[in-house]
Amino acid sequence: MGRILVIDDDPGVRDAFSMALEDTRYEVVSAEDGQKGLELARMYEPDLVLLDLKMPGMSGVETL
């Protein structure tokens, strides 16, 4: 089983990805912004990160 980190400022998008991915038995961790995403990435060491590029504050490009 893999771990996926979803970073998006839209809660609907985060929920949709989480529900779809959990149905395929992936462990899903989500964050509402780049800063929180970086913290979770360090903590959980995900196998894959799905990242929104246009977010307020720290953009997806800055997060990368």
Side-chain angles (χ1 to χ4, degrees):
M1 172 157 67
R3 182 176 293 131
I4 299 174
L5 172 59
V6 177
I7 306 172
D8 198 302
D9 59 316
D10 184 330
V13 171
R14 287 194 312 271
D15 290 344
F17 272 117
S18 294
M19 288 189 317
L21 293 168
E22 286 171 349
D23 286 345
T24 61
R25 300 182 189 208
Y26 285 97
E27 178 185 355
V28 179
V29 180
S30 65
E32 64 277 359
D33 60 40
Q35 185 62 42
K36 183 68 174 177
L38 289 174
E39 292 171 17
L40 292 177
R42 288 183 193 105
M43 185 182 309
Y44 290 101
E45 299 181 356
D47 299 298
L48 176 69
V49 176
L50 298 175
L51 175 63
D52 183 7
L53 293 179
K54 293 184 180 181
M55 295 186 291
M58 181 184 285
S59 72
V61 173
E62 292 171 314
T63 303
L64 283 173

